[in-house]
Amino acid sequence: MSKKIFLSGVQPSGKPHIGNYFGAMKQFVDLQNEHDGYVFIADYHALHSLRNPKEMSENIKNVVLDYLALGLDPQKVTFFKQSDISEHTELAWIFETITTMPYLMRAHAFKDAQARNKEIDVGTFNYPMLMAADILLYSPDVVPVGADQKQHVEIARDTAEKFNNTFGETFKLPEAMIIKDVAIIPGTDGRKMSKSYNNTIPLFAEYEEIKKCVMSIVTDSSGGIPKNVYAIHKLFRSEDELKKIYEEKAGKYKELKEMLIDDLEKFIAPLRERRKEFAKDIPKVLAILKAGSEKAKKVASAKMNEVREKIGVQVY
Ligand code: ADP
Ligand code: TRP
């Protein structure tokens, strides 16, 4: 039996932190063991918020380095860049012609932007159409996403059905695979770890940076157990083991933090070193992405030919 296929997109949005890793990145990398898959850099999606060309190019290179360092295997997963495959925007246009405005107005991302009284660009409004094209071009069985993206996968399903009903069976209906709610990982101030709160522990941090982040963890505690330190620590040791240690060292925040620094360093150091190795040869790393795009292009262009045939524009 052939393996199931997964597909997911990641926005090139800056330095990942350990919350991103346990909440999302790790799970994509783990999926490659049992699935064939596609992972792509959603650079055209990032244009909504990223309009600095230098930063865009840097972020794209950084995402490639991040995923290769984490062990994404380009032999198992087709790792590519959205903007290399013009079929994504082409198919999005076709979907836009069969989708109504009231339907897209129900999308959470649009409603959130509206609630924040933001001037909404047309791209944000049409975002679910581009995401539907991203997905449907590659006929995946499953699309692993965070809970916030579930509706977009449902929109892709609806759009596939609508197209199939109008023009005949063309697209496979994808299923969302909701990434398990690994408890939200708290940041150094106890709120959700997030780039926007400046409370992160970067995934590829240097030792000194790890130390600084851990030392800044706010030590609210009950019974001498600093709960924010514990919540991060339990990503690296079993709770049985940790409970004993934290009880023995109740109130000794400095010692507990030093232990967490050591555990983080043990976990991060090999990843950081791998990333540095890859970073020594950026042309080679970019060649990996380019080869992935060439593979993806073949699949996307075959699907697009089928679509052109179905809608009747293929007259020669
Ligand atoms: P940020 O909040 O830092 O901007 P993103 O919104 O870019 O992070 O999230 C990228 C992915 O990482 C999402 O799938 C999200 O669910 C996951 N993620 C982000 N922060 C955390 C966290 N603190 N705990 C668990 N998962 C997280
Ligand atoms: N919208 C997703 C996010 O913001 C990224 C994304 C774009 C995506 N296209 C996709 C994810 C297709 C899964 C499938 O995180």
Side-chain angles (χ1 to χ4, degrees), residues 14-268:
K15 254 186 174 177
H17 51 74
I18 60 171
N20 297 139
Y21 176 73
F22 288 100
M25 302 169 90
K26 176 177 190 299
Q27 329 223 11
F28 298 157
V29 178
D30 288 350
L31 270 171
Q32 73 185 357
N33 299 322
E34 278 146 36
H35 293 69
D36 286 329
Y38 296 90
V39 172
F40 70 93
I41 301 175
D43 50 354
Y44 277 169
H45 282 290
L47 264 181
H48 296 295
S49 50
L50 183 51
R51 291 174 186 152
N52 173 331
K54 224 171 131 212
E55 202 179 320
M56 176 67 97
S57 311
E58 280 310 306
N59 283 4
I60 291 170
K61 289 177 203 161
N62 280 324
V63 182
V64 189
L65 287 173
D66 294 344
Y67 275 89
L68 292 177
L70 293 179
L72 191 81
D73 178 351
Q75 301 300 327
K76 294 183 181 162
V77 170
T78 306
F79 188 27
F80 69 100
K81 178 159 74 65
Q82 183 184 35
S83 59
D84 286 342
I85 320 286
S86 50
E87 283 81 354
H88 290 234
T89 44
E90 186 179 356
L91 183 58
W93 168 259
I94 293 173
F95 288 160
E96 281 154 25
T97 66
I98 59 168
T99 304
T100 68
M101 297 228 339
Y103 177 80
L104 283 184
M105 282 163 115
R106 291 200 291 272
H108 301 315
F110 170 73
K111 287 204 285 200
D112 289 351
Q114 210 178 25
R116 277 183 275 124
N117 267 333
K118 269 182 59 174
E119 274 213 351
I120 301 162
D121 56 274
V122 177
T124 298
F125 185 68
N126 287 349
Y127 183 114
M129 297 287 93
L130 182 56
M131 186 155 158
D134 295 339
I135 297 172
L136 298 173
L137 278 172
Y138 302 94
S139 316
D141 298 288
V142 289
V143 182
V145 284
D148 60 325
Q149 296 290 323
K150 180 166 181 262
Q151 190 192 32
H152 290 150
V153 181
E154 283 160 4
I155 294 176
R157 259 182 92 89
D158 287 353
T159 307
E161 267 191 306
K162 182 123 193 222
F163 187 98
N164 290 350
N165 288 338
T166 313
F167 297 109
E169 205 54 34
T170 310
F171 294 111
K172 180 152 150 191
L173 307 191
E175 299 279 349
M177 175 193 269
I178 302 305
I179 293 176
K180 280 191 293 306
D181 256 338
V182 236
I184 297 278
I185 293 153
T188 51
D189 59 359
R191 291 187 292 174
K192 170 188 184 274
M193 188 177 289
S194 171
K195 286 187 273 291
S196 15
Y197 297 153
N198 251 327
N199 64 354
T200 68
I201 301 178
L203 177 57
F204 298 101
E206 294 290 340
Y207 181 71
E208 285 304 319
E209 194 178 7
I210 299 177
K211 213 162 133 185
K212 203 167 131 227
C213 293
V214 172
M215 285 307 170
S216 75
I217 298 177
V218 178
T219 43
D220 289 349
S221 69
S222 64
I225 309 274
K227 64 176 188 333
N228 299 330
V229 183
Y230 186 92
I232 298 174
H233 216 155
K234 75 174 192 219
L235 300 167
F236 306 100
R237 282 184 196 244
S238 77
E239 291 219 53
D240 281 351
E241 192 188 354
L242 268 192
K243 275 196 184 118
K244 259 195 232 130
I245 298 173
Y246 274 66
E247 274 159 25
E248 272 167 28
K249 294 189 187 292
K252 297 182 177 157
Y253 301 151
K254 187 152 176 287
E255 274 181 50
L256 290 169
K257 281 186 168 179
E258 276 164 0
M259 212 174 144
L260 175 58
I261 292 170
D262 283 349
D263 283 349
L264 272 162
E265 171 66 7
K266 268 193 212 113
F267 169 75
I268 289 178

